[in-house]
Amino acid sequence: MSGPERATAGSPASRLGRVALRNSTESVLGNGVLCRAFDYWTRIRNGAAMPLRRDLDPMDMGPALLPHSLLTDVDVAAGSVRHRVVGTNFAENFGRDITGIDLSEVLRGSYFDFVHGLFMLTCKEKLPVFSHSRFRWDEGRMLRTSRLMMPLSRDGRNADMAIVVQVFEHEMPPVLPRVQIFENGSWRDISEQYAFFAVDAPVL
């Protein structure tokens, strides 16, 4: 593309592209908290594949995002996920503080398989992953939850952390989980890979 067709940063084509992406993101995420989180992650990565851990500033995130945020260490090779920093909204819904605890000690069964798989996908592909599904804790409660997982890096090469922003709703969840991955500048539906976590599937 050359001459007047090139979409430079301030060109009408570039602005239209940003508007289209924002509209698409709002349609997919469907929640203002998650949209703000995606905007923040996009801003601090500053054109790189993903932000560095040091780019993440809790003061910059503020009270609109921090209670809904979860910072995790992710070791793809070992298949481990450990909760490093946990927002207050998680403690309220999990019924306890899960700071410093491995994901395998918090979740079990198909729910562990589902969430663990999302973490691995996020960090293997170094891409944001959105999911909308049921949330079930060992007290037998059934909630609806939407989560956005976004990769972070300590060294600028490997995705060894993830920031998760998650909201909970006291409503009936979808029968099948909805999962989308952000790649090549757009959201792609990969829900069919997660049909095993249907609403009537056993969790524990």
Side-chain angles (χ1 to χ4, degrees):
M1 186 179 293
S2 62
E5 296 180 354
R6 179 174 297 144
T8 58
S11 69
S14 177
R15 289 194 294 272
L16 286 173
R18 290 195 297 270
V19 170
L21 173 58
R22 175 174 291 278
N23 290 341
S24 171
T25 297
E26 290 177 353
S27 176
V28 169
L29 303 184
N31 181 278
V33 171
L34 301 187
C35 289
R36 284 193 292 273
F38 182 76
D39 287 345
Y40 176 71
W41 180 87
T42 300
R43 175 167 60 82
I44 64 172
R45 74 185 175 104
N46 195 29
M50 57 191 159
L52 294 172
R53 165 61 184 92
R54 64 173 178 264
D55 294 328
L56 195 71
D57 184 353
M59 294 296 292
D60 198 16
M61 294 175 68
L65 293 180
L66 282 177
H68 308 281
S69 299
L70 179 72
L71 186 64
T72 60
D73 293 320
V74 181
D75 186 331
V76 172
S80 66
V81 179
R82 182 165 292 271
H83 303 96
R84 174 178 286 272
V85 180
V86 180
T88 56
N89 198 40
F90 289 91
E92 291 172 2
N93 283 280
F94 277 88
R96 63 182 173 122
D97 184 6
I98 58 174
T99 302
I101 301 178
D102 194 89
L103 183 68
S104 62
E105 300 175 42
V106 178
L107 305 179
R108 289 177 285 173
S110 64
Y111 194 39
F112 169 80
D113 293 339
F114 176 65
V115 176
H116 179 266
L118 297 177
F119 272 111
M120 293 299 109
L121 178 64
T122 297
C123 289
K124 282 180 181 178
E125 299 300 327
K126 303 175 185 177
L127 296 170
V129 174
F130 165 77
S131 65
H132 180 67
S133 69
R134 62 174 170 156
F135 170 84
R136 188 171 182 178
W137 187 230
D138 58 2
E139 297 173 353
R141 294 178 298 151
M142 187 76 78
L143 306 177
R144 184 170 69 188
T145 186
S146 296
R147 66 172 67 77
L148 179 63
M149 295 182 176
M150 297 164 287
L152 298 172
S153 176
R154 291 184 176 89
D155 61 11
R157 298 185 304 274
N158 301 299
D160 50 12
M161 302 186 77
I163 178 74
V164 182
V165 178
Q166 186 168 353
V167 294
F168 301 88
E169 299 173 308
H170 292 265
E171 298 181 28
M172 286 302 296
V175 174
L176 294 173
R178 183 162 58 90
V179 181
Q180 301 216 18
I181 188 168
F182 186 75
E183 59 181 359
N184 299 321
S186 63
W187 293 95
R188 180 169 67 89
D189 194 316
I190 55 172
S191 302
E192 71 280 354
Q193 300 176 28
Y194 299 91
F196 70 89
F197 194 58
V199 73
D200 56 352
V203 174
L204 303 178

